[in-house]
Amino acid sequence: AFQDVRLDNDQRRPRLFDLSKHFDAAQESPQARYYGLLAAEQAKQQLALEVASEQYAIASQNAAGSNDPTRYRIADGYADTLVKTGDVERVEQQLGEADQFASDKIEKAQIQVLRASVAMKQRPSEERPAICAEAIRRLATRVPRTTAGVLAGIGTELIAGALRSDRSETPAAQVQVVKERQLALRLVNRLALFYRSRSPIRFGWTALMARKLAHGLPESVDVATACTVQAGFQMYTLGRYAAGMQLCQQGIAISRNRDDKLQEAHVAMNIGAALGGLGRVDESLHYLSAAEQAFVEIGAIQELVIVKSCVANARYCQGDLAEATRCSRSAFELAVRHGRREVFPGYLEPWAKTA
């Protein structure tokens, strides 16, 4: 009964965590694997990533004897969790396991996405976009290599986007195409975050590409993220705050439908930034504070750096220079301490370094 873990399991069974530890201690591997995997996936869904990592470790230690789909499911989930917790030193072993038991192109592509995610954390910042772009190209999505190509891509997508029907959807039969687009969208969203404070032109291309890839896909975290990426482009690059707010509302509706606290906090951050741009600073700070609190509870360091930077901007607009300086310094110190310097806006550094 415990040999394989099916995809239709009820993951809401009580005491999964206790059961996995009990059977692991009793050296009853099939039961330990079964409950460990279910407990890990439940914890991961609830953003309890440290618990998820512990439970995936139990499932992984007891994985011998299970079938290939279950071995892949354990290794892939474990690797994804390690990436999210920042424990990249142990990721490659799990990716090697996942690669060994992957059964199709999509599973192989998922491994490449995770490897790109690790590279984006470990490699020097100037090498990261090329690594991510190469992984996107493997998913049959074109990424321009030159600035001229980026500008041409922006022009093409602006025209195509204007002609694209909002009602059209990807045919359900094209399951593999949909999965490839979902993975490509995840990487494009990641590339957008990298370019957001570095290159308005390339950030614009990633925003338009995110719109193209998300078009017609079912609601998901990645589609909600694409809404916030597009909102950022509309607000920060084009100065179109009203259009950005509409996209934020779409993203928050998707997040609430999926009960996704992390993504809802992302959207609240973007709404706060939009209200700040419209001069509605008090309302802006309300949304930014809510997002900051959520990121603290979740432990999302990168997002904390960004939202603290947004708060610094809002305080500056409010005329509170002392608080703007304090917030800038807090965001900068957090970014440096956790190796997230690349997401801290360079224009705030003079404020952050003010004695």
Side-chain angles (χ1 to χ4, degrees):
F2 298 100
Q3 178 65 23
D4 304 317
V5 179
R6 307 295 183 188
L7 292 176
D8 58 351
N9 281 320
D10 182 358
Q11 296 186 25
R12 294 169 292 181
R13 298 180 187 183
R15 301 175 59 245
L16 293 177
F17 310 96
D18 293 337
L19 287 169
S20 65
K21 291 180 179 179
H22 167 77
F23 286 119
D24 185 47
Q27 298 184 345
E28 298 185 38
S29 290
Q31 294 94 325
R33 175 177 65 245
Y34 177 82
Y35 288 114
L37 180 53
L38 293 185
E41 292 177 339
Q42 184 183 77
K44 186 179 174 184
Q45 186 177 29
Q46 296 169 349
L47 297 176
L49 298 179
E50 295 297 336
V51 176
S53 180
E54 177 187 54
Q55 293 296 320
Y56 273 122
I58 291 174
S60 180
Q61 290 161 11
N62 293 277
S66 59
N67 61 19
D68 286 0
T70 299
R71 295 289 292 268
Y72 171 81
R73 185 174 163 189
I74 293 170
D76 176 67
Y78 195 6
D80 185 44
T81 301
L82 291 171
V83 169
K84 288 176 178 176
T85 58
D87 190 357
V88 294
E89 300 299 327
R90 293 193 290 158
V91 172
E92 187 53 43
Q93 178 183 350
Q94 296 305 318
L95 289 177
E97 289 263 331
D99 208 6
Q100 180 181 352
F101 297 109
S103 62
D104 58 29
K105 179 181 177 182
I106 295 301
E107 290 181 352
K108 293 282 188 182
Q110 171 66 16
I111 295 166
Q112 291 302 319
V113 168
L114 289 174
R115 284 204 165 106
S117 298
V118 173
M120 290 287 279
K121 292 177 181 290
Q122 288 185 315
R123 302 293 285 276
S125 59
E126 65 272 12
E127 296 179 14
R128 295 173 188 174
I131 294 167
C132 194
E134 185 57 35
I136 296 170
R137 291 186 186 101
R138 292 180 182 179
L139 292 164
T141 298
R142 182 179 177 275
V143 181
R145 300 178 187 275
T146 65
T147 301
V150 170
L151 291 171
I154 289 173
T156 300
E157 184 51 32
L158 285 172
I159 296 171
L163 298 175
R164 193 177 294 129
S165 169
D166 289 337
R167 297 181 180 180
S168 64
E169 297 181 356
T170 303
Q174 298 181 19
V175 175
Q176 182 164 313
V177 173
V178 169
K179 289 182 177 179
E180 286 183 0
R181 283 175 55 196
Q182 288 171 329
L183 292 173
L185 178 60
R186 188 172 307 161
L187 287 170
V188 167
N189 287 337
R190 186 176 293 275
L191 201 56
L193 181 61
F194 179 87
Y195 282 132
R196 179 172 173 171
S197 60
R198 287 177 170 81
S199 172
I201 293 175
R202 291 183 181 274
F203 178 58
W205 177 85
T206 58
L208 292 170
M209 185 54 61
R211 180 180 70 175
K212 175 182 178 180
L213 291 168
H215 184 73
L217 290 180
E219 289 187 356
S220 68
V221 172
D222 298 314
V223 172
T225 303
C227 288
T228 64
V229 167
Q230 294 170 66
F233 175 61
Q234 293 289 337
M235 291 187 290
Y236 308 132
T237 305
L238 303 182
R240 299 178 60 195
Y241 292 96
M245 285 286 286
Q246 288 184 342
L247 287 161
C248 285
Q249 294 297 343
Q250 291 177 27
I252 210 164
I254 294 172
S255 302
R256 286 176 175 168
N257 288 343
R258 297 179 56 81
D259 193 28
D260 188 329
K261 302 302 182 185
L262 177 61
Q263 190 55 43
E264 189 173 339
H266 268 282
V267 180
M269 178 172 64
N270 279 281
I271 290 176
L275 289 169
L278 292 170
R280 293 155 61 180
V281 179
D282 290 341
E283 293 173 80
S284 169
L285 287 169
H286 170 76
Y287 279 98
L288 293 175
S289 297
E292 184 174 0
Q293 182 178 347
F295 291 143
V296 168
E297 292 173 356
I298 294 167
I301 300 300
Q302 182 166 283
E303 287 78 2
L304 263 177
V305 173
I306 296 170
V307 76
K308 283 177 177 289
S309 302
C310 291
V311 171
N313 280 326
R315 292 299 185 186
Y316 177 78
C317 293
Q318 202 176 38
D320 190 343
L321 301 187
E323 189 63 14
T325 301
R326 188 194 68 79
C327 293
S328 297
R329 187 181 298 119
S330 174
F332 182 72
E333 290 174 353
L334 185 69
V336 171
R337 186 162 63 248
H338 292 276
R340 295 291 188 273
R341 180 80 176 267
E342 71 275 4
V343 299
F344 180 79
Y347 64 85
L348 286 179
E349 280 201 31
W351 291 86
K353 296 178 179 178
T354 299

